[in-house]
Amino acid sequence: MSSKATKATGTLLAAIACLLPLVPVALQPGFGVFASIALAAIGLVFFKGARAPTLAMVWKNRIVSILFGIVVGSGMAWGIANFVRPFVEQQFGKGISVGGLEQAAGNPIMYAFVLLIALGSAILEEIVFRGYVIGWGAKIFGKGFAPVIMLLSTAVFGYAHMDYGVSGAVVTGFAGLVLGTLYLLCGRRLLPCIAAHMTFNFIGSTALYLAT
């Protein structure tokens, strides 16, 4: 096999590996995310070229990255709670299902558990849906395709939360669109997105706890 054919084969395999984590969550919303995380982890192990674009963290500097992410996450939580969620629920005639998470209301132990899961999932979801799929995808397909890959990742990210109901999936998709846009605006650096996502999930989890 010629070097050109070998390179083409390697690129094809990398492209498949890059987009593969989107498949489990598309086929099985909710629990499929565990398979998606596993596939991304396997990809990072076997494709050295995936590591740098996936795990590129700092935009400008750490403090700016974190503070900017906190501001965006706070604004996203406020905007979704006051405008996006009411509009979406009105359009679909259904509220967002929190799948038993209402048990965190007034329960410190349950709140701590929900918060731990929420913060941890924020980190993992950013690594998979933003860093791995979009960041590595931009390297494989070219920077010009990054917005297209972002929209694809966003659509799957929203659908992956279908266990929250249709309204929940749409609202989560909107949140994913904000995070994906933030990721591109910050030069495909993850730290602002992780800070924003963690802030958003912290506010949401705390709102559940205070809903007594």
Side-chain angles (χ1 to χ4, degrees), residues 11 14-16 18-19 133 136-146 149:
T11 301
I16 293 172
C18 173
L19 299 177
V133 174
W136 188 26
K139 181 177 180 181
I140 295 171
F141 299 102
K143 296 178 182 179
F145 282 92
I149 302 171

Side-chain angles (χ1 to χ4, degrees), residues 5-109:
T6 301
K7 184 178 180 179
T9 300
T11 301
L12 176 61
L13 291 175
I16 293 172
C18 173
L19 299 177
L20 198 57
L22 298 179
V23 175
V25 289
L27 296 177
Q28 183 60 56
F31 288 108
V33 71
F34 296 108
S36 296
I37 293 171
L39 287 172
I42 292 171
L44 289 172
V45 170
F46 286 97
F47 292 89
K48 292 182 179 180
R51 298 169 194 171
T54 297
L55 302 175
M57 288 285 172
V58 179
W59 174 70
K60 295 188 181 296
N61 61 63
R62 287 184 177 84
I63 294 177
V64 171
S65 295
I66 293 171
L67 290 179
F68 186 49
I70 290 173
V71 170
V72 172
S74 300
M76 185 168 65
W78 181 83
I80 286 177
N82 290 282
F83 299 103
V84 178
R85 178 173 178 173
F87 175 78
V88 170
E89 290 180 337
Q90 183 181 36
Q91 295 302 308
F92 289 97
K94 296 180 179 179
I96 295 177
S97 170
V98 294
L101 295 180
E102 65 275 358
Q103 297 177 34
N107 186 331
I109 296 177

Side-chain angles (χ1 to χ4, degrees), residues 172-187:
T172 303
F174 176 82
L177 180 62
V178 174
L179 292 167
T181 302
L182 175 65
Y183 182 66
L184 295 182
L185 290 176
C186 290

Side-chain angles (χ1 to χ4, degrees), residues 120-144:
S121 66
I123 297 172
L124 292 175
E125 286 177 346
E126 288 309 308
I127 292 174
V128 174
F129 288 97
R130 254 63 71 180
Y132 187 85
V133 174
I134 304 174
W136 188 26
K139 181 177 180 181
I140 295 171
F141 299 102
K143 296 178 182 179

